[in-house]
Amino acid sequence: MRNIQYLVIHCTASSQNTTTLSSLNRTWKDRGWNTPGYHYLIMPNGDLITLLEENKISNGVKGYNAITINIAYVGGINAQGKAIDNRTEKQKATLFFLLENLRERYPKAEIQGHRDFSPDTNYNGIIEKKEYLKECPCFDAKQEYKNI
């Protein structure tokens, strides 16, 4: 049994119209990952897809994966490629429902966004240079879900 300390919200940083499960799987494979980046994926129509069992480790937040459940919604950028909270109402409802359920199983886990982790320090305290600024999930997850 893993010691889950975080429920981490992500966006796929992709178009809501063109992102598919196969395109995400290809991206992860290209990165050399053997497991998905997330445990759960929320499609624009609100469908929830389980990508990985919770007892397995995903690749959502480097250095923290052993203690996280990673959840992503498809989207997070606009037509110009800029970060934006473009979750659909159905995505918001599914995410809220999922977080409530996860909170029952992991009552001490902190809900936060990917961007809330230090961009240069991993769980082991090792400084790592990051090549990009993380805005993921493009909204303040800690604030939005503080009452769950």
Side-chain angles (χ1 to χ4, degrees):
M1 180 90 168
R2 296 192 309 132
N3 178 22
I4 302 302
Q5 296 178 28
Y6 298 98
L7 304 175
V8 183
I9 314 302
H10 302 263
C11 65
T12 58
S14 62
S15 166
Q16 288 179 316
N17 300 322
T18 60
T19 299
T20 63
L21 188 51
S22 63
S23 67
L24 285 173
N25 281 328
R26 194 170 38 256
T27 298
W28 297 325
K29 210 171 251 205
D30 290 347
R31 291 180 181 172
W33 296 354
N34 294 322
T35 58
Y38 322 114
H39 291 88
Y40 297 100
L41 181 67
I42 304 171
M43 302 304 289
N45 66 0
D47 285 353
L48 178 65
I49 299 172
T50 301
L51 301 173
L52 191 65
E53 296 170 12
E54 292 175 14
N55 64 338
K56 297 185 177 169
I57 298 172
S58 64
N59 286 296
V61 182
K62 187 175 182 179
Y64 291 84
N65 292 318
I67 58 172
T68 62
I69 298 293
N70 291 292
I71 307 153
Y73 71 94
V74 172
I77 62 169
N78 64 17
Q80 292 74 41
K82 301 289 182 187
I84 185 172
D85 178 7
N86 57 359
R87 292 173 293 158
T88 65
E89 291 304 314
K90 290 181 179 180
Q91 282 175 312
K92 289 178 183 181
T94 299
L95 181 55
F96 189 87
F97 175 78
L98 177 60
L99 288 171
E100 282 185 321
N101 283 292
L102 289 170
R103 204 41 141 165
E104 289 177 13
R105 291 195 296 282
Y106 310 105
K108 294 181 180 179
E110 183 179 340
I111 298 171
Q112 62 184 50
H114 187 183
R115 72 182 187 182
D116 295 316
F117 290 87
S118 171
D120 59 4
T121 305
N122 72 20
Y123 183 63
N124 299 316
I126 298 169
I127 303 297
E128 299 177 343
K129 184 177 179 185
K130 297 295 180 185
E131 60 279 350
Y132 58 90
L133 173 65
K134 290 187 175 92
E135 295 185 55
C136 177
C138 303
F139 69 95
D140 188 347
K142 286 177 98 170
Q143 180 63 31
E144 186 163 330
Y145 300 114
K146 68 181 179 186
N147 293 323
I148 292 181

